[in-house]
Amino acid sequence: MNDPMADPYRQPPADPYAHAGETLPVPQPPAPAAPPYGTPPVSTPPVSSPTAPMPPGTDPNAYYQQPTYPQAGYTHPGYAPPGYAQPGFDPATGLPYSDKSKVVAGVLQLAIGSFGVGRFYTGHTGMAIAQIAVTWLTCGIGVIWPIVDGILILTQPNQTDAQGRVLRP
């Protein structure tokens, strides 16, 4: 009776405690369980086939990435914090500084101002030519103008170059 070949149709054995004609219930396979954290996104490959091709343009690590959050206390890059001037910009006007230096222009004007070098440096060629002409046509008496101009460049705020940008301090 326990011989496997005795029952070619693999019928379950009769229950000795059952009434006549009753049989044991047929065992059913268990129902598939749902994934513990929900279903993964469609773009991730199934676990059973790690070499399956993914659709183009999908990120294989998208299912595993952590969300990113901005850090508290930091502003957007490219904007200065409130109350502070950005380097390279005039704090009074907010316009960019010139690429020329105020100190260099003043010292050049004081040292060799009779040739208009300080004004050539800042791009004011008309004023530089006028200083040369006045200095040479007055036989040196006009050298007072470049000296006074050099002192004013060094002492006055917001001296500009030929493009109207404030000279760097």
Side-chain angles (χ1 to χ4, degrees):
M1 190 157 263
N2 289 339
D3 184 20
M5 297 305 284
D7 188 9
Y9 300 108
R10 304 268 182 210
Q11 295 293 328
D15 187 5
Y17 302 106
H19 296 289
E22 291 183 339
T23 58
L24 290 174
V26 178
Q28 298 294 324
Y37 301 108
T39 58
V42 177
S43 65
T44 59
V47 178
S48 62
S49 60
T51 58
M54 293 185 63
T58 58
D59 184 13
N61 295 324
Y63 185 68
Y64 304 104
Q65 289 179 350
Q66 295 289 323
T68 57
Y69 300 102
Q71 293 181 348
Y74 290 96
T75 59
H76 185 272
Y79 295 103
Y84 296 99
Q86 289 183 345
F89 289 88
D90 183 25
T93 63
L95 298 175
Y97 278 125
S98 171
D99 56 344
K100 309 295 183 182
S101 172
K102 180 178 180 177
V103 174
V104 172
V107 170
L108 285 174
Q109 192 68 10
L110 286 174
I112 43 180
S114 59
F115 296 106
V117 178
R119 286 301 178 170
F120 277 122
Y121 174 74
T122 60
H124 297 103
T125 55
M127 188 179 292
I129 292 172
Q131 286 179 350
I132 293 171
V134 167
T135 302
W136 292 101
L137 290 176
T138 60
C139 298
I141 298 174
V143 78
I144 297 171
W145 179 22
I147 292 174
V148 171
D149 191 31
I151 294 170
L152 290 177
I153 289 174
L154 288 173
T155 58
Q156 285 188 337
N158 299 332
Q159 288 288 326
T160 59
D161 64 359
Q163 287 81 30
R165 297 177 298 182
V166 177
L167 295 175
R168 290 190 182 276

